Amino acid sequence: MGLGKRSMLMAGAQFFEMGLQILLPVVLVRTLIPEEFGAYRLAWLIVGSLASALPFAIPDTLSVLLPRHGAYARQLIVRNMLLLMGLLGCLAGLGVGLVLSLFDTQSSLNQMPWLIGVFTAVWIFAVTLDSLPLANEEPLWQAKAIIVLALIRTAVAVAAAWWFRSLWAVMLAILVTASLRAWAVIWYARRFAKNSALAAPQSAQESGKALMIEHWRVAAPLGSSSLLYTIRRQADSWVAATVFSAVQFASFSLGSVLAPIVLVVRRAVSTTLLPSMSRNQSKGDLHLVLQANHRANEVVAGVVCPALALIWWFAPYLFTLVYTETYVDAALVLRVMTFVWLAQVIELNSLLLLTGTMGYAARIGIPLTAFSFAVCWYGATRFGLLGASVGALLTAVLERALLLRGLSKALKLPLIELQPWPRLLLLLGMCFGLAGLAYGLSLYVPGPRWLVFGGTAMGYALCYYSLVRVSGLVRWRMVS
């Protein structure tokens, strides 16, 4: 399977999972009281933050390490990684349970501290499923697992919410499905080990300790940068959880419900390309590495920009239709966050990792994180929900600018050559222009609003596809 098909396969599977993640709150806002729904969103903020930060990029860097080693070493790398993820999960779960037991968070989570703690532990271990099969170059297996587990999680959680109308029942249902995900990780790891069982050590140096040190050495710069990035990316949500009421926080968090759009597509493309980029980098061919990054970002922009443009124009209507008028304040937050996500279309982590400049990203991460919390806190306390989201936008723009500047110096290339800027900007302008035209036309079309929106979206998608296909603005073919 070619790299382009692998990327599209993973993007499709993860988009399907994200669609179900968006569908679940549609049911929950109609079955849980606003305070419990706010607690549900807070629980996912806690678990998601820990699951993104604590692994320290150990699972993500499997795509760099596994292609460079033989079967026996690969087995040791995976074993070490699973043991570490299990330990991190247990420690995080214990910490979350203790904090919720001892401190009053003014939410329903205080009534179920150890349920949230166990869920945290299981989920952190289970996130390995997002990296291991793809690093082993089995994207089809991973895509199937993502789709099946997402369907089970959504069906069980919806049934629990509809039948019991209780946050406790919903979280218990999600814990059960998270346990299934953890079991899938263990099953795949056993299968992986069985395939490597007949391999003998290739050298005395390929010991578990030496491979663990190598893994830490590769992951440390990316992990420290990712840790700070996760904190920055969620600074506005943590500020909102601290400053606003549970209902206001629920509205704010719904404004960020589409944040995975960029991350899902970007992750699907970049993790698929990373093994081949790593091989090219080991051969000293940085030009090919850069070209691969260019094409990957074009593909991500080609998928994400039209979706975000349409969402930006129709935001108030979409929130009223999908999440009821109770949470319509989230529409303004969504419109600001759209520009944050557009800034994140440009994937730079793979370049930073492969060119050895991840240390620079880690160094600027500390002041950027402090800046993010400061501007989000100021905006939230002075201007409300909108102010917190504007702080996130300012941080995202500053971060991209500094990273591009650092890469420009490291590669000795002008900024204009680091990315295909003319293509990206032209694509962005075309998407927002077409979406604005679609929105204007929809105002004069009679009929039910949901039907008008559906027809308008389909017409917009058809026009976009035709223009991109005719103009060749997006080069869909990957560089391997």
Side-chain angles (χ1 to χ4, degrees):
M1 185 183 296
L3 292 175
K5 291 183 179 179
R6 288 186 190 182
S7 296
M8 291 300 103
L9 177 66
M10 289 307 303
Q14 292 176 342
F15 255 123
F16 180 81
E17 181 183 35
M18 187 190 70
L20 293 179
Q21 289 174 352
I22 295 172
L23 174 64
L24 182 55
V26 175
V27 177
L28 295 183
V29 296
R30 291 167 170 81
T31 54
L32 300 179
I33 61 175
E35 288 75 14
E36 284 197 334
F37 180 68
Y40 167 81
R41 298 296 295 176
L42 179 59
W44 270 114
L45 176 62
I46 293 169
V47 176
S49 299
L50 291 172
S52 297
L54 285 184
F56 216 66
I58 292 292
D60 293 335
T61 47
L62 288 175
S63 295
V64 176
L65 281 181
L66 294 188
R68 299 180 180 183
H69 289 281
Y72 180 77
R74 289 154 61 93
Q75 182 182 354
L76 292 179
I77 290 169
V78 171
R79 184 196 66 184
N80 292 339
M81 183 267 300
L82 291 177
L83 290 173
L84 177 64
M85 293 296 290
L87 176 62
L88 289 174
C90 290
L91 292 175
L94 180 62
V96 169
L98 286 173
V99 169
L100 292 178
S101 298
L102 299 175
F103 298 97
D104 183 10
T105 62
Q106 297 183 350
S107 75
S108 302
L109 298 185
N110 289 119
Q111 302 171 15
M112 56 188 87
W114 293 110
L115 176 61
I116 304 301
V118 174
F119 172 54
T120 302
V122 174
W123 189 260
I124 287 176
F125 177 78
V127 296
T128 310
L129 193 66
D130 293 332
S131 304
L132 178 55
L134 196 56
N136 196 36
E137 303 192 61
E138 289 193 277
L140 183 60
W141 193 98
Q142 182 162 329
K144 290 178 180 178
I146 288 173
I147 291 172
V148 171
L149 290 170
L151 280 170
I152 294 173
R153 181 172 66 248
T154 304
V156 173
V158 166
W162 199 264
W163 186 263
F164 296 101
R165 297 179 180 268
S166 161
L167 176 62
W168 189 91
V170 171
M171 295 309 302
L172 181 61
I174 292 177
L175 171 59
V176 171
T177 59
S179 301
L180 286 177
R181 187 181 176 95
W183 174 85
V185 171
I186 295 171
W187 184 90
Y188 186 87
R190 287 171 62 87
R191 173 175 171 268
F192 181 89
K194 188 179 295 184
N195 292 340
S196 305
L198 298 178
Q202 296 177 350
S203 71
Q205 294 181 346
E206 283 194 328
S207 66
K209 182 178 179 181
L211 290 169
M212 183 181 292
I213 293 172
E214 181 186 1
H215 202 162
W216 272 106
R217 180 177 54 80
V218 173
L222 178 60
S224 57
S225 177
S226 297
L227 172 63
L228 293 170
Y229 172 74
T230 298
I231 296 172
R232 284 196 304 278
R233 181 166 59 88
Q234 296 177 336
D236 55 341
S237 295
W238 281 108
V239 168
T242 305
V243 173
F244 304 128
S245 67
V247 178
Q248 287 178 306
F249 170 71
S251 294
F252 185 89
S253 68
L254 285 177
S256 303
V257 74
L258 297 176
I261 285 183
V262 177
L263 298 178
V264 162
V265 180
R266 205 176 73 178
R267 181 184 179 86
V269 174
S270 61
T271 53
T272 303
L273 282 174
L274 194 54
S276 63
M277 291 173 70
S278 178
R279 281 192 290 268
N280 290 327
Q281 186 268 343
S282 65
K283 297 174 185 176
D285 195 344
L286 286 178
H287 175 73
L288 201 55
V289 170
L290 194 61
Q291 286 299 111
N293 178 259
H294 285 190
R295 291 293 182 90
N297 286 339
E298 284 184 40
V299 170
V300 173
V303 174
V304 167
C305 287
L308 291 181
L310 190 70
I311 289 167
W312 190 90
W313 280 101
F314 285 89
Y317 169 71
L318 287 175
F319 268 93
T320 302
L321 174 68
V322 176
Y323 296 117
T324 74
E325 292 185 0
T326 303
Y327 303 100
V328 73
D329 289 346
L332 283 175
V333 175
L334 176 63
R335 281 185 159 168
V336 175
M337 296 305 293
T338 297
F339 293 105
V340 176
W341 304 329
L342 285 171
Q344 294 169 353
V345 165
I346 307 300
E347 194 278 324
L348 300 175
N349 277 350
S350 59
L351 289 180
L352 292 166
L353 178 63
L354 295 174
T355 57
T357 50
M358 190 57 78
Y360 167 77
R363 287 194 300 276
I364 67 171
I366 296 175
L368 269 176
T369 302
F371 173 80
S372 176
F373 272 99
V375 294
C376 288
W377 186 274
Y378 179 80
T381 53
R382 291 295 299 271
F383 306 107
L385 297 178
L386 189 61
S389 58
V390 170
L393 175 59
L394 293 174
T395 304
V397 172
L398 180 59
E399 177 196 38
R400 294 287 120 177
L402 290 174
L403 290 179
L404 286 167
R405 179 174 173 270
L407 275 173
S408 176
K409 286 186 175 182
L411 296 173
K412 296 182 173 58
L413 290 173
L415 287 173
I416 193 67
E417 294 182 19
L418 285 180
Q419 294 296 324
W421 299 115
R423 285 178 179 271
L424 294 175
L425 292 175
L426 185 58
L427 178 67
L428 181 63
M430 183 182 75
C431 290
F432 270 83
L434 279 177
L437 180 62
Y439 177 74
L441 291 174
S442 73
L443 298 177
Y444 298 97
V445 177
R449 291 298 296 163
W450 64 268
L451 186 61
V452 171
F453 171 74
T456 302
M458 291 179 62
Y460 164 74
L462 182 61
C463 289
Y464 169 76
Y465 174 78
S466 301
L467 284 173
V468 168
R469 186 175 179 85
V470 170
S471 65
L473 188 58
V474 179
R475 295 173 291 183
W476 298 102
R477 187 176 180 84
M478 297 287 190
V479 176
S480 60

